[in-house]
Amino acid sequence: MTTLEGTMNTETPEQLAARKRVVNRLKRANGQLAALITQVEAGAECRDIVTQLSAVSSALDKAGFAIISSAMKDCVLDPERQAAADDAEASGKKGPLTLTELEKLFLTLA
């Protein structure tokens, strides 16, 4: 399987399951967002709109944390991957995420 970076990536069953969970969360958020848009267009009560908005936001946050958590596990469990990321960063090339980049991504969701 090819990743966004264009490198070959063979995913473990655990990684595939994690991706499926993230996709399911995003689909749920998509449905919640569609319902939110419908509520706003219909002039629903403010309380109902804010409740639905909170649900969408929470679903997106959980998906983001799951993505970052998965990337952190990959880096921690695979020191060679982390070394390759550090080497790519040092040479100015784009490689796997470094721990510093993961930390920054995590904090953007906090």
Side-chain angles (χ1 to χ4, degrees):
M1 180 174 299
T2 303
T3 63
L4 292 177
E5 289 84 22
T7 59
M8 292 303 292
N9 182 21
T10 56
E11 293 182 306
T12 65
E14 181 180 295
Q15 290 168 323
L16 290 171
R19 184 196 319 213
K20 185 175 180 175
R21 285 190 302 271
V22 168
V23 168
N24 287 339
R25 284 185 190 274
L26 291 172
K27 286 180 179 180
R28 188 176 314 119
N30 187 37
Q32 290 169 328
L33 182 57
L36 175 63
I37 291 168
T38 300
Q39 285 179 323
V40 171
E41 289 175 339
E45 292 289 325
C46 179
R47 179 181 300 121
D48 296 335
I49 291 171
V50 172
T51 299
Q52 189 67 23
L53 184 59
S54 175
V56 172
S57 180
S58 177
L60 290 173
D61 286 346
K62 287 177 182 177
F65 284 124
I67 290 168
I68 292 171
S69 172
S70 178
M72 291 175 104
K73 285 179 196 172
D74 289 346
C75 287
V76 171
L77 296 178
D78 188 355
E80 290 178 16
R81 180 181 167 101
Q82 182 56 48
D86 292 339
D87 291 345
E89 183 180 45
S91 66
K93 296 179 183 175
K94 192 171 187 172
L97 289 170
T98 66
L99 290 177
T100 302
E101 290 172 318
L102 284 170
E103 182 179 319
K104 287 180 185 177
L105 288 173
F106 181 81
L107 291 173
T108 63
L109 294 174

